[in-house]
């Protein structure tokens, strides 16, 4: 995991340097202080998927390029076999598997997200990003927070929401929750 964070940080630094963007501007893009952004570039601090999406949108690259260092090539269709999508484990608790990374100019980001349970965790980290999002619980149970409300979702349940509203989740119980997350840009 630490190696993946370092690689993402290197790609962010490379993008910033190629586009000749000051650290302060990159930090402002995602609403954090420049010192924290520098730590993201060195892999010392994690960056959320929503913040990667904000950077990607502003600077005209795909979030997958920043996460996986892969450039999309497919224009007609793109197949992902079971368990084979480009994957990144952002933290010990979150694993993202992209299902659209190889399709050029995709209009949505689609991931299978696996969230490990955190015993005694009661704080939900919240984020927001441009667009709308659809989450379908494939396995397990989750506590989902959106715009001041807490909603419990189980296998087969889904939620569609305005992703500009602060939102976040926790796995409920002692089993990981796996969801299909579909974000429309």
């Amino acid at each position: 995991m630490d190696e993946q964070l370092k690689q993402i940080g290197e790609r962010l630094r490379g993008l910033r340097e190629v586009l000749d963007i000051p650290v302060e501007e990159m930090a402002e893009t995602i609403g954090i202080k420049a010192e924290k952004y520098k730590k993201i570039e060195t892999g010392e601090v994690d960056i959320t998927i929503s913040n990667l999406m904000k950077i990607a949108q502003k600077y005209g690259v795909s979030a997958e390029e920043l996460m996986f260092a892969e450039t999309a090539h497919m224009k007609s269709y793109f197949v992902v076999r079971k368990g084979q999508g480009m994957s990144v484990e952002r933290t010990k608790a979150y694993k993202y598997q992209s299902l659209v990374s190889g399709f050029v100019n995709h209009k949505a980001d689609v991931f299978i997200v696996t969230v490990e349970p955190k015993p005694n965790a009661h704080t939900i980290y919240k984020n927001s990003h441009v667009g709308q999002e659809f989450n379908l619980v494939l396995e397990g149970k989750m506590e989902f927070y959106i715009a001041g409300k807490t909603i419990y979702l189980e296998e087969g349940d889904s939620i569609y929401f305005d992703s500009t509203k602060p939102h976040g989740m926790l796995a409920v119980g002692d089993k990981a929750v796996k969801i299909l997350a579909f974000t429309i840009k």
Side-chain angles (χ1 to χ4, degrees):
M1 181 215 31
D2 293 327
E3 187 58 32
Q4 288 179 329
L5 291 179
K6 287 179 184 176
Q7 290 174 3
I8 290 170
E10 288 172 10
R11 288 189 283 278
L12 288 168
R13 184 175 57 252
L15 174 68
R16 183 177 57 75
E17 289 173 353
V18 165
L19 296 177
D20 197 26
I21 301 166
V23 168
E24 295 75 16
E25 182 179 328
M26 292 293 276
E28 186 178 310
T29 297
I30 58 175
I32 64 172
K33 296 194 181 299
E35 290 305 312
K36 184 173 181 182
Y37 186 81
K38 287 178 189 176
K39 289 181 179 182
I40 289 171
E41 284 190 353
T42 62
E44 296 174 58
V45 174
D46 193 8
I47 183 168
T48 65
I49 295 295
S50 62
N51 281 340
L52 277 172
M53 290 168 61
K54 288 175 188 175
I55 290 170
Q57 183 176 16
K58 181 166 182 175
Y59 299 108
V61 298
S62 76
E64 286 84 2
E65 287 178 84
L66 296 175
M67 288 190 315
F68 309 119
E70 292 287 325
T71 302
H73 299 287
M74 302 306 291
K75 295 180 182 177
S76 297
Y77 64 90
F78 179 67
V79 175
V80 176
R81 300 288 180 203
K82 183 177 180 177
Q84 298 299 307
M86 294 297 287
S87 175
V88 65
E89 190 174 319
R90 283 188 31 255
T91 68
K92 289 180 182 176
Y94 285 82
K95 178 182 176 188
Y96 288 81
Q97 179 185 8
S98 176
L99 302 179
V100 298
S101 61
F103 195 86
V104 176
N105 298 324
H106 52 272
K107 304 289 186 224
D109 291 310
V110 184
F111 296 97
I112 292 179
V113 182
T114 304
V115 181
E116 296 296 331
K118 291 182 181 177
N120 305 318
H122 298 289
T123 303
I124 296 179
Y125 173 77
K126 295 170 256 339
N127 65 68
S128 61
H129 51 86
V130 174
Q132 298 175 344
E133 190 168 330
F134 172 79
N135 291 177
L136 171 65
V137 180
L138 301 172
E139 297 174 8
K141 299 175 184 179
M142 74 177 187
E143 179 179 330
F144 187 81
Y145 173 92
I146 178 77
K149 301 279 185 193
T150 301
I151 303 161
Y152 291 89
L153 300 169
E154 298 182 9
E155 187 174 317
D157 293 344
S158 66
I159 185 167
Y160 188 88
F161 58 95
D162 175 352
S163 53
T164 64
K165 306 287 185 209
H167 61 280
M169 70 160 115
L170 285 174
V172 174
D174 58 356
K175 182 180 167 190
V177 64
K178 187 178 282 191
I179 66 167
L180 175 68
F182 186 99
T183 303
I184 302 166
K185 300 175 185 179

